[in-house]
Structure formats: structure tokens, C-alpha cells
Amino acid sequence: PWPNPLACLPRTRPSMLAGHRIHMDEDYEQWYRGLARKDRKDAGRSWRLFSAMQNSDFMRARDVGTARSVLDLIEHEQRRRLHSLGEAYRLDEKENGNFYRALVTHADPACQAIVTALTIDGTPIAGLLSLGSGTSCIMLRVAFSEGPWEKAAPGRLLIERTMRALHQDGYRTFDLGIGDYRYKRQFDPERVALLSVTRSLSVRGLPHSSGVWAKAQVRKSPVIERWARRLKSYATG
């Protein structure tokens, strides 16, 4: 693989986040049997609970209209959840929203949007947006709506069903993205170290980028970080 040129920029530093990558060989079931017994049982139970619901199904969007409807579900449910936690939600801001809508609207053979969903009576109740390139797929956004299907852990179930379907289409590497959530650990991914870089695009951005860099330098030394915390507590106390 080609080296990432962004990693060569000045002030690039190790990120506090990490990727979660899964590599499979030709036999999906062999990989599946390699998961922890409890995690396999939980996954099987989730599928039985969901498939027992009337007119339940897994589907992959094959047209723009269906993909957009699933993306609308993801956006709505992510907004609802974060607001319920008292956190800010930025992905539906104009620029961000347009970016994700362009992903599912404009076909790109080199890096195609993959939209999958769990449905009840043909209506999406859980959606997943991924990007596929070659034999690799990265999962970007997943969300599900409230309802009786929540007992089936629809988010985790949708990820497993998507990997199963895409494996049949030739995909062999899956990245569950950043965020160290329990449902990701149930798939036993490889933790992938990431790098982070903050660049100012104008003079106005220099204070912020310099502050980010300074904090990263402080974190490199436990002694300096401890003193920095003390100074901060004195200043705010």
C-alpha cells in the first residue's frame, strides 16, 4: 500500500482514537466460528428475534431513492439520540449533510457508497452507510429507530448481516471505524493505531492549531501533564 502523505506533515501526532479492522479469508463461517462463544450466541439470538417479527428483512439499497430514505433514517435517529444525551449534533449541518447525500447520490466505481438496512413491512428501522473500495469496506454511520425490534440489538445485527452479504460479493476487509464501543469488540477486530494532524488554513486558525499541538506535547510526558493539571486547577479554583 502507498504511504499516507498526511502522516508526513509537520506536527502529526498519534491519535487518541483507533480504527477497528476485520480481515476475513474465503470462508465467512470459519471467521464467524472464531468469535467468542457468547458473542456468537448473542448474534444468533438477535437474528432469531428479528426474523421472528412479521415481514422482517435485511436489504441492500440498489437505487438512489432507497439509499436516501435509509440515510434520512440514520440522520434522524442519530440526531434524536445525541440530543437525548444533551450532546451537539453536527452531521445534519448544511455542508455535512450535503456531503453524505452526495455519497449516496453520485456513483463512483472507485469508492462506492453501500447502504444496507433492516426493514419491517418494507420500512427501514435500522440503517448503515458504508464505503467500499476494491475488497475493503469501512462502515461510517449506523442507527436504528425505537420499537419492539430494539431487543434484537438491530445495530449490531445489521453490521453482521452486512458483512455476511458483502463477503459474498468479494469483500474481505471491514473497518468498523473509530469509537471503542462494546458491540465492535464483539466482532474481535484488530485495533489499528491512527494519526491526527490539525492544520490552520488561515492566520485566524493558528491559535487553535497551536493549542492542539501544545496539548499533544504535554500528554507525551506524565510529569508535565500532571503539573499542567495542577496549574489548571489552581487557575480555575
Side-chain angles (χ1 to χ4, degrees):
W2 293 95
N4 185 349
L6 297 179
C8 302
L9 292 174
R11 295 189 174 184
T12 298
R13 61 194 184 280
S15 175
M16 299 176 66
L17 303 173
H20 298 81
R21 185 182 300 158
I22 300 169
H23 179 75
M24 303 177 188
D25 294 323
E26 299 302 311
D27 190 339
Y28 181 89
E29 294 301 332
Q30 181 178 351
W31 168 80
Y32 187 78
R33 290 192 297 270
L35 298 179
R37 183 171 181 269
K38 181 181 184 304
D39 295 334
R40 294 199 314 273
K41 289 182 65 176
D42 286 347
R45 175 179 174 274
S46 293
W47 179 244
R48 288 192 299 273
L49 286 172
F50 180 72
S51 58
M53 297 180 186
Q54 189 172 7
N55 297 325
S56 59
D57 200 6
F58 163 82
M59 70 93 174
R60 177 176 174 181
R62 299 293 184 180
D63 60 81
V64 172
T66 304
R68 287 286 296 268
S69 68
V70 175
L71 181 60
D72 288 343
L73 165 76
I74 294 172
E75 188 172 87
H76 178 271
E77 294 303 330
Q78 287 186 329
R79 183 193 308 115
R80 177 186 62 81
R81 173 167 172 74
L82 287 178
H83 285 179
S84 71
L85 296 174
E87 298 181 10
Y89 182 70
R90 301 284 179 83
L91 295 182
D92 61 347
E93 292 179 354
K94 184 178 179 180
E95 293 80 5
N96 300 331
N98 289 342
F99 171 79
Y100 286 104
R101 279 186 283 275
L103 281 182
V104 302
T105 302
H106 305 295
D108 184 349
C111 186
Q112 64 170 323
I114 301 170
V115 180
T116 52
L118 298 177
T119 64
I120 299 288
D121 290 325
T123 300
I125 57 90
L128 172 62
L129 171 62
S130 308
L131 284 179
S133 178
T135 60
S136 299
C137 171
I138 181 170
M139 298 178 174
L140 300 179
R141 300 175 66 180
V142 62
F144 56 87
S145 60
E146 295 178 307
W149 44 80
E150 289 182 83
K151 60 186 178 182
R156 183 188 64 196
L157 177 60
L158 178 55
I159 289 173
E160 193 278 325
R161 289 288 133 173
T162 299
M163 289 194 296
R164 184 181 292 270
L166 293 182
H167 185 273
Q168 294 179 355
D169 290 344
Y171 288 87
R172 295 294 179 267
T173 301
F174 299 90
D175 193 329
L176 304 183
I178 61 175
D180 188 21
Y181 300 106
R182 181 177 179 273
Y183 75 86
K184 294 183 180 181
R185 296 194 296 272
Q186 290 178 308
F187 293 110
D188 192 27
E190 170 194 1
R191 187 176 173 86
V192 181
L194 301 176
L195 297 175
S196 180
V197 60
T198 303
R199 302 278 291 178
S200 57
L201 301 181
S202 68
V203 175
R204 293 171 58 189
L206 284 174
H208 176 73
S209 61
S210 298
V212 171
W213 178 81
K215 289 179 181 178
Q217 300 309 300
V218 169
R219 283 195 291 267
K220 288 182 178 180
S221 171
V223 175
I224 296 177
E225 184 176 17
R226 190 160 54 247
W227 277 102
R229 291 183 183 277
R230 288 184 180 178
L231 289 173
K232 183 178 180 180
S233 66
Y234 291 148
T236 58

